[in-house]
Each structure stands twice: as C-alpha cells, then as structure tokens.
Amino acid sequence: MTTRVEAASDRPAVPTGYGSSYVAHHTPGERSRLGTLEAAFDPATIQALTGLSLPETAVCLELGAGAGSIAAWLATHRPRGHIVATDTDIRFLRFQPGAPVRVLRHDIVTEDFPAASFDLVHARALLCHLPDHDRILERAAHWVRPGGWLVVEDLTVQPVDASPHPILRKITRAGEVLFRTTVGTDLRWAQTLPQRLRGIGLHDVQARTTPGTIGDGGATDAFWTATFEQSLPAHLAAGTLRHEDIEAMRALHRTPGFTDTAVAMVSAWGRRK
Ligand SMILES: C[S@@+](CC[C@H](N)C(=O)[O-])C[C@H]1O[C@@H](n2cnc3c(N)ncnc32)[C@H](O)[C@@H]1O
C-alpha cells in the first residue's frame, strides 16, 4: 500500500545516509536510544528466533548489529555456535570475554559474504534505511545455507494512518519525511516483507507484527520518545516541524490516559531451499 506523505515540508533533498544522520552513532544519546529499541523489540525478535530450528553449532550473521543485544543473545543460546556481528560503525559492539562472537566492520550495501555461509542471517531495523532493499534482501538470502533461515524485521509507520490524533499523525509523517530525505529510509516497505521473502524463493515464510504502543510508559513508548526527542534539532533545522507542533505533541503525550500506536515492527522469516 502506498500512502501520500504530507508534512510541513516535503522538499526534495539528497539523503546523506545513516552515518551522517541524526541517528548516527556519534549523535549524543544514540547509544541510549538503541538500548530503548532493544528493550522494545528484543522480546519479539527472540520469540521469532527461538521458534527456528537452528543447529547447536549454528553459524549466524547479525547484520547492522547496532548495540549488539541480539548477537549477545545468540552467543548465549548457541555457545557452541559462531556469531558474526556486523555494522558500519562497531563502536557499541562489546561482548563478554569468550563469547563466540566476531565483530566485523562491514557495509551490507557494498561488501559481500561467500554464498551459503550461514545457518541464520538476521537484520532488524536495517534494510528500511538502505537504498535498493530488494537487491540487499536477495544478497542476504544468498548468504544463507540451504535449510537455513533469513529473518528480516523493519519498522513501519502504517499504524499511524488510523490514529485519531491529528498531531500524532503530523509528527509521525514529518518523521517519515525527515528519515526519507536525510537517511533515505522507507518506513512503509516492511508491510511487504512476507511477500518479498516468498518472491525471492524462500519457503516456510511466516510473519508477526508487534505494535509500538505509546503513552503507556512501556518499552515501545520509551523507544518512541527517545527517537522523537533526538530528531527535534534535525526537524527544526529542516523545517519539517515547528516548536508549536513539538509542544502540542508533548502535551498530548502527557495527557492522562493517552495511548496510541504510531509504529509497528514487522518480523518476517523464511527458509532457503
Ligand atoms: C536502527 S539501528 C538497528 C540496530 C540493531 N539491528 C537493532 O535492531 O537493535 C541500524 C543499524 O544499522 C547500521 N547500519 C546502517 N547502514 C549500514 C550498512 N550499510 N551496513 C551495515 N550496517 C549499517 C547502523 O550503524 C545501526 O547500527
């Protein structure tokens, strides 16, 4: 489904990419924001990974590992396995001494792995930020061994379309525009993940969507709040939001009893023949 995005400013810009954006690792608060992402969505990721049949000695690839919680979980649950944790910026990737994790500075857009190297390839909140997701999805599937699993998870802003709160719709759509024009992010493609996994020939495809509830003080609320607050200087500089929009959103968020859903995480996985 495509939805026309409307916001205060939708002027074309050339995306500079993730590493120069307001969510780059050098941004103040980014390590903490990644921690809120992990707390919000690790339970869904772990539930999906736990359901897969992986050998005790599984060789796993964690792409765009961020602050590394899923690589650490894999290391704990497959101590006889081997986990490769990649990112273009590896400063947050620290593991227990002796953990079976190799950290690799690696750009998924430009760098390869040998075909059929891994029992599991996992990427969360990564492909939506990258150009040409379909090509990257195919390459990631190519790195999976026959019988192994590709698990891809990405955020979608689709839930906000049904929000009864105009200011939340405005803020979220402005965030969608800012992510698209500065990073190159597509916050709508996640909805199509299951069909895309089938389209590249994976079988046993399954999917689950985890709503990002906000306003209830829970884990997804903390992630949404951290992302909203961190994006504000970039919004004000780009003209995608004004001070009065920001104050109106904060006031709604503080309103007793307010809850809504602005985003959701789509988790989809399939097996290579
Ligand atoms: C939103 S964070 C998600 C981190 C982690 N996957 C998680 O869900 O907790 C996106 C991560 O992808 C990394 N990244 C961005 N572009 C990349 C690329 N071309 N190749 C590999 N990693 C990349 C970023 O540095 C960042 O750590």
Side-chain angles (χ1 to χ4, degrees):
M1 184 180 113
T2 55
T3 304
R4 172 94 188 101
V5 174
E6 285 165 38
S9 170
D10 193 357
R11 63 180 97 99
V14 179
T16 53
Y18 200 97
S20 320
S21 72
Y22 57 100
V23 289
H25 285 194
H26 62 257
T27 308
E30 180 57 9
R31 174 65 188 81
S32 162
R33 194 190 71 89
L34 285 176
T36 66
L37 168 63
E38 295 179 339
F41 296 111
D42 277 5
T45 302
I46 289 168
Q47 192 182 2
L49 296 180
T50 305
L52 307 179
S53 50
L54 289 174
E56 288 301 316
T57 54
V59 181
C60 306
L61 176 61
E62 173 66 3
L63 292 162
S69 64
I70 294 303
W73 182 86
L74 285 167
T76 303
H77 287 78
R78 285 292 178 276
R80 293 172 50 221
H82 180 70
I83 293 95
V84 179
T86 76
D87 208 291
T88 42
D89 188 330
I90 59 173
R91 76 184 74 184
F92 299 144
L93 292 174
R94 302 278 178 271
F95 298 95
Q96 297 289 334
V101 184
R102 177 175 157 228
V103 174
L104 191 65
R105 185 179 288 112
H106 179 276
D107 184 335
I108 189 181
V109 177
T110 56
E111 294 175 278
D112 213 350
F113 286 100
S117 302
F118 300 98
D119 298 294
L120 168 71
V121 175
H122 174 246
R124 184 177 69 190
L126 170 63
L127 270 63
C128 65
H129 295 299
L130 304 177
D132 203 356
H133 342 101
D134 285 322
R135 184 184 66 88
I136 292 171
L137 198 63
E138 276 197 70
R139 291 173 67 230
H142 192 61
W143 300 333
V144 178
R145 291 178 178 156
W149 295 92
L150 174 64
V151 182
V152 181
E153 306 179 276
D154 259 320
L155 284 165
T156 173
V157 291
Q158 187 186 29
V160 86
D161 297 343
S163 169
H165 299 106
I167 188 60
L168 181 63
R169 293 200 302 273
K170 182 175 186 179
I171 293 281
T172 308
R173 288 173 184 167
E176 186 179 3
V177 169
L178 187 69
F179 257 119
R180 175 160 47 77
T181 54
T182 57
V183 181
T185 306
D186 181 348
L187 285 170
R188 301 266 170 185
W189 97 296
Q191 295 139 227
T192 64
L193 269 172
Q195 75 206 49
R196 285 174 198 266
L197 293 187
R198 285 188 197 97
I200 58 172
L202 298 188
H203 65 123
D204 295 345
V205 171
Q206 292 186 54
R208 195 174 297 136
T209 299
T210 307
T213 305
I214 65 171
D216 63 352
T220 55
D221 182 56
F223 167 64
W224 181 89
T225 304
T227 305
F228 172 63
E229 294 294 335
Q230 190 166 309
S231 69
L232 297 181
H235 272 301
L236 292 171
T240 39
L241 286 178
R242 294 182 295 262
H243 286 285
E244 49 269 37
D245 301 320
I246 295 164
E247 287 315 316
M249 185 62 236
R250 286 180 176 148
L252 176 65
H253 196 237
R254 282 195 302 269
T255 305
F258 163 75
T259 61
D260 204 340
T261 308
V263 297
M265 182 70 81
V266 179
S267 308
W269 57 95
R271 194 167 207 176
R272 192 165 165 205
K273 288 189 175 121

